[in-house]
Amino acid sequence: MRVAITKSSIHRNRLLLLVIFVSVLVLVAIPAGVLSYYHRQFVIEVFQRNALNISQTVADVIEQEIEPYRDLVEIEDYEETWYSHSYYWKMNTLLRNITRETQADYIYTLKQVGEAEAAYILDGTNPNSDDFFPIGMGGEIEDTAALAIRTVEPKVSGLSQYEDWGKYLTAYTPIVDETDGRVLGLVCVDFSEETLQTWQQGLWTVLGVSFFILVIVMTLIIYLLVNYLYQYSNMDHLTGLYTRKHLLVRMRHLIRRYQRTGEQFCFMMMDIDWFKQINDTYGHGVGDMFIVAVADKLKSFCSPDDICTRYGGDEFCVLHPGSSVQECRILAERLLGEVRELRTMDGKPVSISIGVCVWEAGKSMNMVIDEADKALYQAKEQGKGRVCFTA
């Protein structure tokens, strides 16, 4: 059967799509939010492991040539005391290369000079950068750094907020002088929140697109399923016409609307003449064939705005919105002519009788159906195969 495409059905379908889309979006947003949280935690853990691995690798490199580094650490005044500048700049260059290769934000080493104070030794930042800290420059020692020195074990912080720098996570690995077991300082590796977000961005773009496609696909599937269930519950399975239940709902809505606008509609009720005789003579299978044939005629002659219904058995109804009596008469006469082309097995023509009621303000739905039924009975009484209108 042709789908009735009307302004109301288009509006209804758009509203249905919107409701389904928003519902699916809300449902998907819940697991998406959970996934977002756990994904962020996963990224933080990945960068914590990376930072620890980098800091441990740098600590191993320094410990392999510990003497010149020990000399740097033991100096108290770097402006007054001579130290190996070649070693210092060589190691700074090495840290800078490692920083670039690992995409860390900062790699540097510290020594503890007080209970809560530290001094920079090596710095892998470009010396011409404002972020470069020269040897001996002081600063506060973080709790995680102090814990790494105290326990002589690598430690890593979570994302911590720094007033002048923003959010960073930092790994600290002690630099141990194997000759006497002293902790000479720490290798520190920083990753900023911006670096983590940059790494997340590509993956979240993929996940975002995937979730959006999922929402669209789920919306369409649910929409099609709802439409299918709607059609399944409102369609007669033999003929493909609407059911009586759907007709009554649509007529009730139409009467409410036309009560306000003052428009009219025609309601036609019809059945197949001598249908019991056809069933008795040729069997119910052939009777069903004629029911389907008449239904096909209705489908081909009715407009998308019309509600064509199998009312029950061999009875059919057509709700013709916004039509005049003359338009309804023309349609009914054409239907009579088309149905007469149908023939029984022995060549006898098949006919239908039609009763028509024109709705006017003040008539209820039951009144419309009763009047059309009376007009149909009148058509039968006058010889069948004809159209009768209510007086």
Side-chain angles (χ1 to χ4, degrees), residues 65-92:
E65 194 179 359
I66 197 65
E67 292 83 2
Y69 187 80
R70 186 197 309 126
D71 293 340
L72 290 179
V73 170
E74 291 177 347
I75 296 173
E76 294 184 1
D77 189 342
Y78 292 93
E79 292 184 357
E80 299 293 334
T81 307
W82 180 92
Y83 60 88
S84 174
H85 285 75
S86 61
Y87 171 80
Y88 172 73
W89 289 114
K90 180 187 76 172
M91 295 304 293
N92 279 349

Side-chain angles (χ1 to χ4, degrees), residues 365-376:
M365 181 176 65
N366 289 334
M367 291 173 63
V368 172
I369 295 173
D370 288 344
E371 289 185 14
D373 190 48
K374 290 177 182 178
L376 173 60

Side-chain angles (χ1 to χ4, degrees), residues 5 24 27 41 150 157 169 260 271 296-297 317 326 349:
I5 303 175
V24 172
L27 290 175
Q41 295 304 115
R150 187 167 61 252
S157 71
L169 65 81
R260 298 191 303 269
D271 68 6
D296 290 340
K297 297 293 184 182
C317 294
Q326 185 61 28

Side-chain angles (χ1 to χ4, degrees), residues 150-166:
R150 187 167 61 252
T151 60
V152 197
E153 292 179 354
K155 301 293 180 183
V156 62
S157 71
L159 273 174
S160 303
Q161 179 70 47
Y162 298 93
E163 184 176 350
D164 297 329
W165 296 90

Side-chain angles (χ1 to χ4, degrees), residues 266 268 324-334 387 389:
C266 291
M268 295 189 292
S324 65
V325 176
Q326 185 61 28
E327 289 173 334
C328 196
R329 186 184 300 276
I330 292 173
L331 176 62
E333 293 292 346
R334 290 178 64 190
V387 181
F389 284 75

Side-chain angles (χ1 to χ4, degrees), residues 355-369:
V356 182
C357 173
V358 180
W359 179 86
E360 296 175 346
K363 288 185 179 180
S364 67
M365 181 176 65
N366 289 334
M367 291 173 63
V368 172
I369 295 173

